[in-house]
Amino acid sequence: GAVVSQHPSRVICKSGTSVKIECRSLDFQATTMFWYRQFPKQSLMLMATSNEGSKATYEQGVEKDKFLINHASLTLSTLTVTSAHPEDSSFYICSARVSLSGGMFFGSGTQLSVL
Amino acid sequence: AQSVTQLDSQVPVFEEAPVELRCNYSSSVSVYLFWYVQYPNQGLQLLLKYLSGSTLVKGINGFEAEFNKSQTSFHLRKPSVHISDTAEYFCAVSAGAAGNKLTFGGGTRVLVKP
């Protein structure tokens, strides 16, 4: 199956700093990627849809200036958590789809801890 | 908009016993249904999916699910579980096209006991 690589797997940062998370499709081109957030023992909540070469589409309630998404190429999308605070601590997961009729493949997730 | 309900938040089960995880959905358009498994601190792995055709879908690791349109359900089953099946299981739906964004259920934690 298709492989999606997410990096880093774990990051600890100080409050007020920015953190960048990368999501790469390794063996296919992904025109669309998705970013999810997951709190402990809870489900995945979609944050935004990332489209190559255009602005991301954010879900209601997600601060676009807080969570910057860039999808500069067909194989890479990045999520930058700006001025992170402890309440931003969470597990972030990306996914990429092969095509509109194809499946969705997930990265291994990034555990963000803001001190 | 679509929604997914997983009726059981936790399911304890003994090793080698059968397990069924319930999933119900709602949508005003055609749906595509998925089951994913998540191990601690990891991403999601696709177990199986229903796109069209036969309503009984077989997936990896001995899991299967049945799409029931009249009951808007997509329950996941395994006839005999192993300790390694201990994980979180998520039912998800995409509406309109299989590659559209997914809406997840709340998840069901399966704990397999020896």
Side-chain angles (χ1 to χ4, degrees), chain B residues 3-109:
Chain B
S3 66
V4 181
T5 302
Q6 290 182 244
L7 297 168
D8 306 297
S9 60
Q10 284 192 89
V11 174
V13 58
F14 286 104
E15 194 174 17
E16 298 184 4
V19 70
E20 178 180 81
L21 308 185
R22 296 179 292 171
C23 173
N24 288 89
Y25 68 91
S26 67
S27 176
S28 57
V29 298
S30 59
V31 294
Y32 303 86
L33 297 153
F34 307 83
W35 274 99
Y36 288 89
V37 60
Q38 184 181 35
Y39 299 101
N41 299 314
Q42 293 188 30
L44 275 68
Q45 180 181 8
L46 179 67
L47 282 177
L48 48 80
K49 59 185 176 185
Y50 172 78
L51 302 182
S52 64
S54 173
T55 57
L56 182 62
V57 181
K58 294 189 182 298
I60 62 171
N61 301 341
F63 284 94
E64 64 179 33
E66 185 156 19
F67 170 58
N68 188 319
K69 189 174 182 179
S70 63
Q71 296 186 7
T72 61
S73 67
F74 190 54
H75 300 333
L76 179 72
R77 302 184 187 94
K78 185 169 182 177
S80 176
V81 296
H82 302 291
I83 296 290
S84 59
D85 292 321
T86 294
E88 190 85 22
Y89 292 79
F90 292 98
C91 181
V93 61
S94 66
N100 280 344
K101 62 183 181 182
L102 293 171
T103 299
F104 286 88
T108 299
R109 176 160 178 75

Side-chain angles (χ1 to χ4, degrees), chain A residues 10 34 36 38 41-46 49 59 91 93 97 99-109 111, chain B residues 6 34 36 38 41-46 49 51 88 90-91 94 97-107:
Chain A
R10 181 178 293 272
F34 302 86
Y36 294 85
Q38 184 181 30
K41 298 184 180 181
Q42 293 188 27
S43 188
L44 284 74
M45 299 300 296
L46 180 66
T49 301
E59 296 298 301
F91 194 60
I93 306 176
R97 70 182 184 200
S99 66
L100 193 59
S101 60
M104 198 78 72
F105 297 92
F106 285 81
S108 55
Q111 181 64 54
Chain B
Q6 290 182 244
F34 307 83
Y36 288 89
Q38 184 181 35
N41 299 314
Q42 293 188 30
L44 275 68
Q45 180 181 8
L46 179 67
K49 59 185 176 185
L51 302 182
E88 190 85 22
F90 292 98
C91 181
S94 66
N100 280 344
K101 62 183 181 182
L102 293 171
T103 299
F104 286 88

Side-chain angles (χ1 to χ4, degrees), chain A residues 48-69:
Chain A
T49 301
S50 169
N51 295 297
E52 186 268 337
S54 64
K55 291 183 178 180
T57 302
Y58 290 82
E59 296 298 301
Q60 190 173 10
V62 178
E63 301 175 61
K64 59 181 67 177
D65 295 329
K66 174 75 170 175
F67 300 99
L68 299 179
I69 292 173

